[in-house]
Amino acid sequence: MNVIVDDNIAAIDPAVALTAVSDDRRTKALRYLREDDRRGCVAAYLLLRAAWHAEVGEEPLPPVVYDSRGKPALDGHNDIYISLSHTTGAAAAVVGCEPVGVDIERITLPERDVIDHVMNEREQAGIYNDADPAIAFTRLWTMKESLLKLTGEGLRNDMRTVLADDDIYHFDIKQMSHHICTVCYRRETSVKDPSRCLWSTHYQFRDRNRS
């Protein structure tokens, strides 16, 4: 499967990038009030297009459709699986031949009450005993979100139990300067090689006048 990440989407000019996406994606992006969110929405789509071409060739990207729970898929391609994610300053997309989920987040450490709410006791101990608790927290959070994107569940009321069955999933984690990106897929479909991800970066539609 192909994973494409851009951890510098602040350099993307949204006005230019909006002209390069589908009408549906443009409408979706313009619903966001914050420019950062609009930029992330567009960047994730552009990365999806690049990942699609890397996976299947030059065939045009099919329309992106969503099921009742909001999980994305490619119209007419039940044998191809996709996932997208964006956060402040970064975006990611993955295309593959097996169910997959991706999440990218800026490295951060929230308040203690938030950690207590979304992490179980074992996870909390791992965070607070780590040399860098912010990295430890963000790794775990992206693992949880990527798994829920794979299953299509979305955020649960009880996020503490999300990784209870993590032994049947593989998490491919990439740490960047300010972000962590995690791809989740079922371990049982990846027996031969525990890492099925081909990682790359993609830089397009940058405003060259920006630093």
Side-chain angles (χ1 to χ4, degrees):
M1 66 185 71
N2 279 275
V3 187
I4 305 190
V5 181
D6 188 340
D7 63 341
N8 187 27
I9 65 171
I12 292 175
D13 181 350
V16 175
L18 279 168
T19 66
V21 300
S22 67
D23 291 343
D24 287 345
R25 196 66 180 185
R26 186 180 306 113
T27 300
K28 182 180 178 69
L30 290 174
R31 291 195 188 108
Y32 288 104
L33 299 178
R34 297 174 62 248
E35 184 177 275
D36 279 351
D37 295 328
R38 292 195 296 271
R39 182 182 287 112
C41 181
V42 171
Y45 180 88
L46 295 174
L47 296 180
L48 176 66
R49 179 188 292 164
W52 165 261
H53 290 317
E55 184 75 15
V56 305
E58 292 304 313
E59 181 181 346
L61 177 68
V64 179
V65 295
Y66 297 86
D67 66 15
S68 59
R69 297 183 296 181
K71 184 176 182 179
L74 296 176
D75 193 25
H77 289 267
N78 296 330
D79 56 338
I80 301 290
Y81 298 87
I82 66 171
S83 187
L84 305 90
S85 181
H86 61 88
T87 188
T88 301
V94 57
V95 176
C97 296
E98 59 186 284
V100 63
V102 65
D103 187 53
I104 189 166
E105 302 288 346
R106 189 170 181 86
I107 296 171
T108 187
L109 184 67
E111 297 295 329
R112 178 95 190 213
D113 60 335
V114 174
I115 296 174
D116 292 348
H117 182 68
V118 299
M119 300 291 173
N120 61 39
E121 287 75 13
R122 176 178 59 83
E123 293 165 344
Q124 292 176 37
I127 291 169
Y128 293 121
N129 291 327
D130 196 274
D132 193 325
I135 289 176
F137 171 84
T138 308
R139 284 173 63 93
L140 282 168
W141 182 254
T142 58
M143 289 169 66
K144 289 172 185 262
E145 281 226 44
S146 64
L147 191 158
L148 293 175
K149 287 186 174 184
L150 181 155
T151 62
E153 295 178 65
L155 296 180
R156 294 181 185 175
N157 289 330
D158 184 8
M159 292 295 291
R160 293 161 58 96
T161 62
V162 171
L163 298 179
D165 297 323
D166 64 351
D167 57 323
I168 67 173
Y169 297 100
H170 179 81
F171 298 94
D172 207 327
I173 302 173
K174 182 178 182 64
Q175 182 177 326
M176 293 150 280
S177 297
H178 303 291
H179 298 86
I180 290 176
C181 183
T182 297
V183 176
C184 176
Y185 46 90
R186 287 186 178 273
R187 189 182 300 274
E188 62 192 18
T189 63
S190 307
V191 175
K192 183 176 180 180
D193 182 354
S195 178
R196 293 283 297 277
C197 296
L198 299 175
W199 293 86
S200 59
T201 56
H202 184 72
Y203 304 106
Q204 279 193 352
F205 302 100
R206 296 293 178 82
D207 182 348
R208 298 182 184 275
N209 294 321
R210 291 191 180 189
S211 57

